[in-house]
Amino acid sequence: MKTNKYILNFIFFLIFIMLWAGILQDHFKIFDEPALQGDIREVKDTSVSIDGWFGGEYQIAKEHFITNNFGFHNTLIRINNQFDFHMFNKANAKEVIVGIDNFLYEKSYIDNYFGRNYKGDTYHQELIEQIKFLSDTLKKIDKLLLIVIAPGKASFYPEYIPKVFVGDSSTSNYDGFIKYARSYPDLNILDFRSYFSQLKNSSNFKLYPKYGIHWSMYGSYLANDSIIRYVENKRSVKLRRMYASSYDYEQAHDIDYDIGAGMNLLFPIGENILPYPNYKFSESTDFVKPNILIIGDSFFWNIYPNLKTSFNKCTFLYYNKSVFPQNSTAEKVVDEEFTKSEIDQADIVMMIVTEAKIESIGWGFLNNTNNIYRINKGNNGPNITDREVKELINQINANPNWSEDIRKKAEERGVTYEQAVYDDAKWFLENKKQSSANEQ
Amino acid sequence: MVFSSIVFLVYFLPIFFTIYYLVPRRFKNPVILAGSILFYAWGGPKFIFVILGTTIFDFYIVRWMYYSESAKRRKLLLITSLTLNVGLLFYFKYANFFIDNINLALTAAGVSPVSWLDVVLPIGISFYTFETITYVVDVYRKVHKPLDKFWDYQLYIIFFSKLIAGPIVRYHDLADQIRGRFDNDTIERKLSGFYRFIIGLSKKVLIANPVGLYADNIMSTGFTEYDTATAWLAILAYSMQIYFDFSGYSDMAIGLAKMMGFTFPENFNNPYTSKSITEFWRRWHITLGNWMKNYLYIPLGGNQVDSKIKLYFNLWIVFLASGFWHGASWNFLIWGAFHGLFLVLERAFLTELLKKVNDLVKVGLTIVIVMTGWVFFRLETFSEAIAFLSKMYLFTDGKFIAPELSTLIPLCAGFIFAIFTLLPKGEKIQSRIYHSEISMKLQILLAPISILFFIICLAKVAGSDFNPFIYFRF
């Protein structure tokens, strides 16, 4: 009986140690807990005040802080996530979908693939007009505008999308964009969605990782190589090139495992061996190093380390908000002045976007350049697109009285009818938009 | 602060029990009192003064009442205490409801409504008011003498283990334990209390919370677009949620008290295995049922009234009061009346009629009746409740929303646990863990299982709000 008492007291003691584990870890950091991955916002501690206590705000803030910062918090989060993933095939990360055979997706990529958030024909028409305007404008000042479309995971691996998310396909934003881009064959577009889907079954290595949302390191290597060759061809120059001399075969890591890491599990999801290129520079020395300005999303990160070796100045505007490289602690503001300055210094302007977010291409960069290089340059006037002008010209031509007026004006001014109708349409639209702006 | 929060599980629990177990016997009650005041003040920083103030008043009024020789004075003091406590309950809990309804009537009559600032409800007021009433009435009835020390009375009322969500512990059930429990305070009981706490925590976190998500998702808005099957699944999920949430909390309360040497009355006894509504109310929120019986039903005459009509009326009044006690809304009243109606019907003829029906069928029928009643309990307005009941019973078309695996598994597990004592083996297992002395073999089995479940529950609580984007969104 005494032995039993000792055993029971020992059991109770162990339970007590377990109860104290959180407090002890919090204060003494006995074990190293790896940080959690993802968009984790820091929760700051609060200090007590009489008003805060009696108003209840202190307790709410303190509980919030404790819940996000107590000892073994990260480990317990991983335990919870592992439990849910193992028991229910559920990912505790926003928008993450666990597909067939544990292929991981983000929901927005799936929705975009099935055309569930199509912006409409007019939207893409106007978007292409803006890109065309910028391309033509940069061409006049001997700069190249290059659009790079990275593939989205849902379009690359549609076969692993869970049945519950599969729906009727309708026009996607990618479809709309490409459709209107085709009206301007001179636009410089590298469509890796199309290219990679052709390569999918014949490529030596995986172009897209199972547990990542971006193209694989190998896929980005191919993309980088294609971009360099394209620029060389368009600019008739030779750029410094890297090539893969060998490959290390490793378990997917870093960007190739970004969704997997973001799920914050206790154990890796599964095996996914990928090739990681070891790079060497080509021996040729007769290359040039122009300047490049890139406006892009996270699909550029895989390419950035290699691409920048081929260029002299390589500025990357991440979502047109953060500037890389970050040379100083002060955050640069990406406004029109900054944009103009960077474009002036660049020989190539590259916009890179995944096809799943293609409707957001530029993230305001196109608006900025429209304002900088607007049609009614030199005036602080409203933005008029080519398409709007063309539409109005068609209306004028279809109106006999109006077109007759224009013909008379053309004779008086000594210009062609086409010039006169273009000027008139532009003037009409400017005034109309200016009046609307003034009323507001 | 709730029992299933990180603040309580990681900080309050270990610190409180360490101090409690280390201090000499004469300081243990003050430690409980200090912990309880901190516990309540954390969640209700202003209302702590209300509860402290009313306990001071009640303690001295009851002492005066007890030691008064005049029956008239004793009755007057009883009425004074009851008026204060019930008055405060009415003010804090029901004033908004009455003013809103008066204003509705005034507006309908074309009169300008009464202006009123909504009153905030102190946490636990329904529970501790009822316990105060047991103290006053039990002393008045001379069932038990009043407590000698004011701090002992404070402890009885404000004891954190039962303060927020019960069980409603009657004064004479606890009176002798305040100072007389220490000889029963063994290591076996401490461990048994911990296991009970873990059972309650698991019920709440692993079953009630996940099934509640599905119920909330369906029943919160726009349920008119769902089909009948979805409506039934949702109300089944809610039935499991409310049972495991409430009984889980009671288990935690009972377990915590046991760790301090107290024995609280049981509050739930597998209510979904009931064969009638009468039996359901002997198994569901048992302490409320006992309170209603002893402090409302019996004073109204109980079973000793001279007519069946009066008996049925009294039963119905008790259930209306039970319904209203749960919340200040017409739907709670309707829920109470609904149960009261079935109780009356069973007394009148239903029990006799169903005598020859198979027990399992009776259990099934009772579950359906109870689930139907939960519709009024869960939904806020009468029209919503009727709309939902139409969905359930009129087989309408709509979308079927299948529960995710993270809901379906706990829902099935919950349902099995809710009815497993229908099997004789089930009763035996429950008795071995809840009521009997736990053997050494079982202790060695239960200890690691409890630790494992504690870790899983803590992980679930920590992860309940954790759902970040993979990348920062611009």
Side-chain angles (χ1 to χ4, degrees), chain B residues 304-356:
Chain B
Q304 310 305 318
V305 291
D306 47 19
S307 78
K308 272 203 169 147
I309 302 289
K310 199 164 182 197
L311 176 76
Y312 299 156
F313 180 75
N314 286 347
L315 273 173
W316 218 54
I317 289 292
V318 165
F319 275 89
L320 276 176
S322 296
F324 208 40
W325 178 87
H326 281 85
S329 90
W330 288 110
N331 270 16
F332 284 117
L333 269 170
I334 292 167
W335 173 78
F338 177 81
H339 275 265
L341 174 68
F342 276 95
L343 232 96
V344 164
L345 290 175
E346 281 173 7
R347 288 250 186 165
F349 64 89
L350 214 50
T351 307
E352 198 57 41
L353 191 70
L354 297 173
K355 224 176 187 167
K356 291 201 176 131

Side-chain angles (χ1 to χ4, degrees), chain A residues 149-152 155-159 174 178 182 189-208 218 222 226 355:
Chain A
I149 303 173
S155 64
F156 192 77
Y157 281 129
E159 64 271 32
Y174 167 80
I178 292 296
R182 283 199 186 114
I189 299 178
L190 278 175
D191 183 359
F192 286 103
R193 173 186 153 154
S194 169
Y195 178 45
F196 273 30
S197 64
Q198 290 166 38
L199 282 185
K200 183 177 171 182
N201 296 322
S202 58
S203 169
N204 289 330
F205 305 114
K206 293 268 183 273
L207 300 170
Y208 232 112
Y218 179 71
L222 287 190
S226 303
E355 49 114 344

Side-chain angles (χ1 to χ4, degrees), chain B residues 243-400:
Chain B
Y243 171 54
F244 284 97
D245 200 291
F246 204 173
S247 70
Y249 210 89
S250 291
D251 282 337
M252 287 192 270
I254 291 166
L256 286 170
K258 209 169 185 179
M259 287 172 74
M260 291 177 254
F262 289 96
T263 302
F264 279 2
E266 292 296 332
N267 215 12
F268 291 87
N269 182 17
N270 308 291
Y272 290 136
T273 64
S274 304
K275 293 183 275 303
S276 65
I277 295 296
T278 307
E279 189 183 348
F280 177 81
W281 279 99
R282 279 192 230 117
R283 292 172 175 271
W284 177 277
H285 204 174
I286 297 167
T287 57
L288 176 69
N290 284 341
W291 192 98
M292 287 290 176
K293 185 178 92 177
N294 287 291
Y295 302 98
L296 186 59
Y297 184 62
I298 288 173
L300 286 174
N303 292 339
Q304 310 305 318
V305 291
D306 47 19
S307 78
K308 272 203 169 147
I309 302 289
K310 199 164 182 197
L311 176 76
Y312 299 156
F313 180 75
N314 286 347
L315 273 173
W316 218 54
I317 289 292
V318 165
F319 275 89
L320 276 176
S322 296
F324 208 40
W325 178 87
H326 281 85
S329 90
W330 288 110
N331 270 16
F332 284 117
L333 269 170
I334 292 167
W335 173 78
F338 177 81
H339 275 265
L341 174 68
F342 276 95
L343 232 96
V344 164
L345 290 175
E346 281 173 7
R347 288 250 186 165
F349 64 89
L350 214 50
T351 307
E352 198 57 41
L353 191 70
L354 297 173
K355 224 176 187 167
K356 291 201 176 131
V357 172
N358 178 272
D359 279 354
L360 274 178
V361 173
K362 282 194 255 192
V363 168
L365 277 171
T366 307
I367 288 175
V368 167
I369 293 168
V370 168
M371 279 169 67
T372 304
W374 287 139
V375 173
F376 290 98
F377 201 87
R378 170 62 179 78
L379 293 168
E380 287 199 17
T381 66
F382 182 71
S383 55
E384 277 181 316
I386 296 300
F388 197 88
L389 286 169
S390 307
K391 272 282 152 195
M392 282 169 68
Y393 286 101
L394 296 181
F395 297 100
T396 51
D397 283 330
K399 274 194 290 190
F400 174 67

Side-chain angles (χ1 to χ4, degrees), chain B residues 22-43:
Chain B
L22 288 177
V23 299
R25 202 178 268 195
R26 68 181 187 280
F27 292 123
K28 287 194 189 297
N29 285 349
V31 167
I32 296 176
L33 190 58
S36 300
I37 290 172
L38 174 65
F39 182 89
Y40 192 86
W42 183 269

Side-chain angles (χ1 to χ4, degrees), chain B residues 66-77:
Chain B
Y66 181 74
Y67 290 111
S68 291
E69 283 172 14
S70 156
K72 212 175 172 181
R73 185 182 290 161
R74 290 179 66 247
K75 197 158 197 174
L76 183 67
L77 290 169

Side-chain angles (χ1 to χ4, degrees), chain B residues 430-443:
Chain B
Q430 180 181 260
S431 187
R432 275 186 82 184
I433 295 172
Y434 273 40
H435 306 302
S436 320
E437 213 173 280
I438 300 174
S439 68
M440 228 13 239
K441 265 192 190 160
L442 200 53
Q443 288 278 8

